[in-house]
Amino acid sequence: MAPHHHSSPATRLAVLISACCLHSITSPGTAIAAPLQEPQPQNQLIDIWNGPAPGETTRNPGTPLPRRPEELPPVTRISNITQPTLTLYPAKPTNTPSPAVLILPGGGFRRVVVDKEGSEIAAWLNTLGCSAFVLRYRTADDATTTPWLKPLQDAQRAMAIIRSRAAEWQIDPQQLGIAGFSAGGQAAARLLGDGGKLAYPAADAIDQLSHRPDFALLIYPWNLWNPDTDQ
């Protein structure tokens, strides 16, 4: 969780989420609750780049891979993503703007798990009065690509996009956090440590906005640093 100078509502939300996750892991014998009914997404697949993403020549929102029959419930994995997108799961409307979380699912950078570590987490966050955005970041298909770079670029841009449209989506731009799972946790950690510097050339006014989260959750982040390659 990113440090804060004061205990804001967003910080308290992050503490609550972390505590709930820890309790669920360390309380043997606790009955497993029925899965939450996943919310209906709003503005399905919101494009975050004007034109192709940095370094891309194609615009493919991704290809679903066949589900594995042994997984219950089934898990959806998306591969070959060159056009990164956001999916908004809004909190129930209230008289005040809601906190929001950008979710970076896992998938080993070769795919993005959009439900198990995406929409299912969004459903839970919605019960806390928090809007959620699931990011389908770009995937890497070869070993020569630095795997976290494109997801980092997409996450930086997504954070700025959300802040730029905060009023439209009824969220508080000063209560915007990030949650990363597995490989998504590595990309989120890179964003937290980027010192506010973009990993791509700024292209428009959106890129001038802060992409710094107000709080962060790194959930089983994967391979944060390889000392042999400094990646």
Side-chain angles (χ1 to χ4, degrees):
M1 183 172 62
H4 261 276
H5 298 298
H6 57 85
S7 181
S8 68
T11 301
R12 292 194 295 273
L13 173 63
V15 171
L16 172 63
I17 294 172
S18 299
C20 289
C21 290
L22 181 61
H23 177 76
S24 68
I25 294 171
T26 58
S27 299
T30 303
I32 299 175
L36 292 170
Q37 183 176 0
E38 292 187 34
Q40 291 299 311
Q42 178 177 314
N43 300 328
Q44 185 72 271
L45 298 185
I46 304 161
D47 198 355
I48 66 171
W49 297 99
N50 299 323
E56 303 293 345
T57 57
T58 63
R59 288 171 57 81
N60 181 11
T63 305
L65 295 173
R67 288 183 166 184
R68 300 172 185 174
E70 71 277 9
E71 292 178 328
L72 294 174
V75 175
T76 303
R77 297 171 174 85
I78 309 295
S79 66
N80 301 319
I81 301 171
T82 60
Q83 178 187 358
T85 55
L86 283 173
T87 303
L88 167 60
Y89 296 85
K92 184 178 179 180
T94 64
N95 292 329
T96 59
S98 68
V101 177
L102 173 66
I103 301 170
L104 275 61
F109 292 128
R110 298 180 67 86
R111 55 198 64 85
V112 175
V113 182
V114 294
D115 41 22
K116 180 181 178 181
E117 296 168 341
S119 58
E120 293 180 19
I121 308 304
W124 180 60
L125 287 168
N126 284 171
T127 68
L128 301 178
C130 187
S131 292
F133 296 81
V134 177
L135 176 62
R136 294 190 184 194
Y137 52 80
R138 284 172 289 162
T139 54
D141 294 324
D142 61 85
T144 63
T145 303
T146 301
W148 50 263
L149 179 57
K150 290 180 180 181
L152 171 61
Q153 293 172 337
D154 297 340
Q156 290 177 334
R157 176 74 178 185
M159 290 291 290
I161 285 278
I162 295 169
R163 281 205 169 97
S164 74
R165 300 176 65 176
E168 173 189 347
W169 289 327
Q170 296 182 309
I171 65 172
D172 186 339
Q174 295 184 332
Q175 295 188 53
L176 174 58
I178 192 169
F181 292 78
S182 193
Q186 182 186 150
R190 292 278 177 177
L191 187 149
L192 289 171
D194 66 17
K197 182 179 179 181
L198 290 174
Y200 59 91
D204 55 26
I206 291 172
D207 290 328
Q208 306 304 319
L209 298 175
S210 172
H211 61 264
R212 178 74 179 177
D214 298 296
F215 58 95
L217 299 161
L218 305 182
I219 303 170
Y220 44 86
W222 173 77
N223 196 22
L224 291 182
W225 178 57
N226 184 339
D228 296 329
T229 62
D230 194 28
Q231 295 181 355

